[in-house]
Amino acid sequence: MPDVTVCLTFDFDAISSHLIRKETTPTYISRGEYGARVGVPRVLALLAEYGIPATFFVPGHTCDTFPDRCREIARAGHEFGHHGYCHEVPATLTRDEEAAILERGSAAIERVAGRRPVGYRSPSWDLSPHSIELLLDAGFRYDSSLMADDFTPHLCRLGDSGDTTGPYHFGREVPLVEMPVSWVLDDYPIFEWNAARGSGLASPFAVEEIWREEFDYLYERVSGGIFTLTMHPKVIGRGHRLRMLERLIRHMRGLPGVRFERLGDVAESVRPRLLEALNAQPGATR
Ligand code: ZN
């Protein structure tokens, strides 16, 4: 029987991702506010209706701006992951700035969720050369920002190097589990309208087809795979998109061998096997 785990993940950026891009006029702020005012309650209701545990990556700025909404997420038993303080992109930061933001974001999450996060997802999915080491130093257990795989977790690496003059050198694997992501399985570029890029506003039926086909391929052909969807309450929280997500949930839960889990729980469950393989090849590079 197929063995597939579905992880529904929600990046609760709210206002933070607009502020960091200097989108500070009232209408931009209101687009972020929609996620807290409308999106999260609708998402929580859907998850509760189907008894699905999920993961929310929440910037510290969102925790501090909407603490009551964040506490509702925590009370429902969903996982909190780190997503910057104000959606800062690691690749744009110095090492010291990045370390300080890791601490500030974790402290903000602890204030609303009662515990520090063990998972990290980089804003805009762009890690810096320091990120993996900083995450290890800070005690994180998994990252969810890389795209080397689609349905199969693996270990992150330290010490990659290379340029245009010769083959790329892959560094050594380290005990930080990567839960891979993809722009294809992200609601933001597909749905969210952006004046500068002219993108978004796709039909939910077209998106449903892409996401369901990805899932069905995994279900039929990838043993033990993880289907990770990345969504944003301010994007997926529109009615026509939530109806699409509900149809997808029904499709997936109707198949034998499919379960829904929090991303951190899956990372912990695959961790021993990945570390065993790592320890069997000390110092191995590839
Ligand atoms: Zn984000």
Side-chain angles (χ1 to χ4, degrees):
M1 184 167 74
D3 169 27
V4 170
T5 305
V6 178
C7 294
L8 302 185
T9 71
F10 300 90
D11 296 358
F12 186 13
D13 300 336
I15 294 168
S16 69
S17 53
H18 294 294
L19 291 177
I20 197 73
R21 295 183 187 123
K22 307 213 176 343
E23 297 167 347
T24 57
T25 53
T27 299
Y28 272 112
I29 299 303
S30 71
R31 284 172 68 170
E33 185 182 352
Y34 179 88
R37 181 193 287 255
V38 179
V40 167
R42 286 183 182 171
V43 166
L44 289 179
L46 182 67
L47 295 174
E49 188 176 339
Y50 288 91
I52 295 174
T55 299
F56 287 72
F57 289 93
V58 189
H61 184 275
T62 298
C63 298
D64 289 346
T65 306
F66 302 103
D68 292 341
R69 196 60 95 215
C70 289
R71 287 191 192 97
E72 287 174 29
I73 296 170
R75 273 200 301 273
H78 303 300
E79 175 191 8
F80 274 65
H82 199 296
H83 198 47
Y85 182 78
C86 197
H87 214 267
E88 303 89 349
V89 181
T92 66
L93 302 171
T94 67
R95 185 189 173 97
D96 286 349
E97 287 170 341
E98 193 175 352
I101 287 166
L102 273 184
E103 172 54 33
R104 197 174 177 206
S106 288
I109 285 176
E110 188 172 20
R111 285 194 291 275
V112 294
R115 65 174 65 174
R116 293 168 75 88
V118 298
Y120 177 78
R121 172 172 285 164
S122 57
S124 301
W125 281 334
D126 204 1
L127 296 174
S128 83
H130 310 296
S131 300
I132 302 299
E133 196 166 33
L134 291 173
L135 290 170
L136 284 169
D137 289 350
F140 281 85
R141 307 279 286 183
Y142 77 95
D143 171 69
S144 183
S145 311
L146 297 175
M147 307 181 185
D149 211 304
D150 44 17
F151 307 125
T152 306
H154 57 87
L155 292 176
C156 296
R157 289 189 306 265
L158 268 185
D160 276 23
S161 62
D163 56 29
T164 58
T165 63
Y168 196 81
H169 171 75
F170 295 105
R172 64 185 168 88
E173 292 184 330
V174 292
L176 186 71
V177 176
E178 176 61 36
M179 303 299 293
V181 291
S182 164
W183 287 114
V184 160
L185 296 176
D186 183 321
D187 64 354
Y188 206 91
I190 291 178
F191 282 132
E192 189 70 355
W193 182 75
N194 181 295
R197 293 190 292 270
S199 63
L201 304 183
S203 159
F205 297 101
V207 179
E208 180 180 1
E209 187 173 76
I210 295 169
W211 288 4
R212 196 183 58 236
E213 288 291 301
E214 280 281 305
F215 174 83
D216 286 350
Y217 181 89
L218 158 64
Y219 187 79
E220 292 168 8
R221 293 175 182 265
V222 183
S223 171
I226 320 296
F227 187 70
T228 302
L229 279 178
T230 297
M231 295 166 283
H232 300 71
K234 63 185 169 187
V235 179
I236 202 73
R238 304 295 310 197
H240 64 301
R241 297 169 186 157
L242 273 180
R243 283 170 60 87
M244 179 274 286
L245 178 59
E246 183 168 4
R247 286 194 299 275
L248 198 63
I249 288 171
R250 289 183 177 192
H251 170 67
M252 297 188 291
R253 76 200 290 268
L255 294 166
V258 176
R259 62 187 167 276
F260 291 79
E261 289 190 24
R262 308 187 309 176
L263 205 58
D265 295 333
V266 180
E268 283 305 302
S269 72
V270 302
R271 185 181 179 87
R273 176 173 54 78
L274 294 174
L275 292 187
E276 201 175 306
L278 175 66
N279 292 332
Q281 295 177 312
T285 56
R286 42 168 235 174

